[in-house]
């Protein structure tokens, strides 16, 4: 689905491409080669001062397909592409059950900016997925735990 709107006050032209879940699901299935993945319900790509072409849309889809490996449900991902001469600015907002993720990247090359944004989202999802493993427990050792010094002492006595 494609929509175009013009803001008469600022003179901004805004292009939107919305990929419905079935189309995105087919793309993910072809990228993951048969692995069962959670499907993003809807990916919304909005651009300002730039038309979203098929290669741009495919690059964004492929970056979001890589995020599926973390087995965290992505809810309503929204990508905004802004052309600020001479840079491209990419912003992505994704809701997850634990909260909301946001990533922003700027680069002279549009595809490099998309990759940088994808890497930032991937880093945030990795941190979220492994949060339980990263917690350090500060509790006392159990009474039955034997330290190395105690084990050496018992061997010496015996």
């Amino acid at each position: 689905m494609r929509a175009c709107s013009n803001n008469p006050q600022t003179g901004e032209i805004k292009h939107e491409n919305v990929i419905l879940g079935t189309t995105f699901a087919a793309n993910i299935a072809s990228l993951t080669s048969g692995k069962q993945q959670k499907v993003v319900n809807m990916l919304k790509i909005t651009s300002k001062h730039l038309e979203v072409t098929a290669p741009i849309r495919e690059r964004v889809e492929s970056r979001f397909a890589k995020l599926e490996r973390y087995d965290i449900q992505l809810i309503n991902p929204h990508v905004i592409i802004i052309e600020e001469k001479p840079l491209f600015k990419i912003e992505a907002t994704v809701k997850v059950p634990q909260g909301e993720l946001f990533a922003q990247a700027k680069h002279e090359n549009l595809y490099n900016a998309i990759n940088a944004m994808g890497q930032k989202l991937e880093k945030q999802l990795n941190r979220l997925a492994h949060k339980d493993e990263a917690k350090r427990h500060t509790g006392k050792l159990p009474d039955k735990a034997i330290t190395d010094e105690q084990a050496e002492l018992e061997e010496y006595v015996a």
Side-chain angles (χ1 to χ4, degrees), residues 48-115:
K48 296 180 181 176
H49 310 293
L50 178 76
E51 185 173 346
V52 178
T53 61
I56 295 171
R57 184 172 46 256
E58 289 172 5
R59 178 66 65 99
V60 172
E61 287 176 5
S62 69
R63 290 308 301 186
F64 274 88
K66 288 183 179 184
L67 301 178
E68 293 294 322
R69 73 176 102 155
Y70 291 101
D71 291 330
I72 296 177
Q73 182 183 8
L74 305 177
I75 305 166
N76 294 333
H78 185 202
V79 177
I80 301 171
I81 304 171
I82 303 168
E83 184 178 11
E84 297 175 344
K85 300 280 183 180
L87 299 174
F88 290 96
K89 182 169 115 178
I90 311 290
E91 296 178 350
T93 306
V94 181
K95 293 181 178 155
V96 293
Q98 295 89 348
E100 185 172 318
L101 305 178
F102 177 80
Q104 176 182 0
K106 290 182 182 181
H107 200 274
E108 293 174 354
N109 184 334
L110 175 62
Y111 296 101
N112 288 346
I114 293 171
N115 285 340

Side-chain angles (χ1 to χ4, degrees), residues 99-153:
E100 185 172 318
L101 305 178
F102 177 80
Q104 176 182 0
K106 290 182 182 181
H107 200 274
E108 293 174 354
N109 184 334
L110 175 62
Y111 296 101
N112 288 346
I114 293 171
N115 285 340
M117 176 269 309
Q119 288 173 349
K120 289 179 182 182
L121 281 176
E122 208 170 338
K123 185 176 180 181
Q124 291 178 28
L125 271 176
N126 186 26
R127 189 178 308 138
L128 189 65
H130 298 97
K131 193 172 191 175
D132 292 338
E133 297 168 10
K135 289 184 180 175
R136 291 180 171 66
H137 300 285
T138 58
K140 295 180 180 179
L141 292 174
D143 293 337
K144 295 179 182 178
I146 300 174
T147 63
D148 291 335
E149 293 174 4
Q150 290 175 344
E152 289 176 11
L153 183 63

Side-chain angles (χ1 to χ4, degrees), residues 16-71:
E16 287 189 9
N17 284 345
V18 177
I19 298 140
L20 297 177
T22 54
T23 306
F24 191 64
N27 289 337
I28 288 177
S30 66
L31 290 172
T32 57
S33 66
K35 292 181 183 176
Q36 186 177 6
Q37 298 285 328
K38 294 180 183 178
V39 178
V40 176
N41 292 334
M42 185 185 299
L43 173 64
K44 185 175 181 182
I45 302 173
T46 306
S47 66
K48 296 180 181 176
H49 310 293
L50 178 76
E51 185 173 346
V52 178
T53 61
I56 295 171
R57 184 172 46 256
E58 289 172 5
R59 178 66 65 99
V60 172
E61 287 176 5
S62 69
R63 290 308 301 186
F64 274 88
K66 288 183 179 184
L67 301 178
E68 293 294 322
R69 73 176 102 155
Y70 291 101
D71 291 330

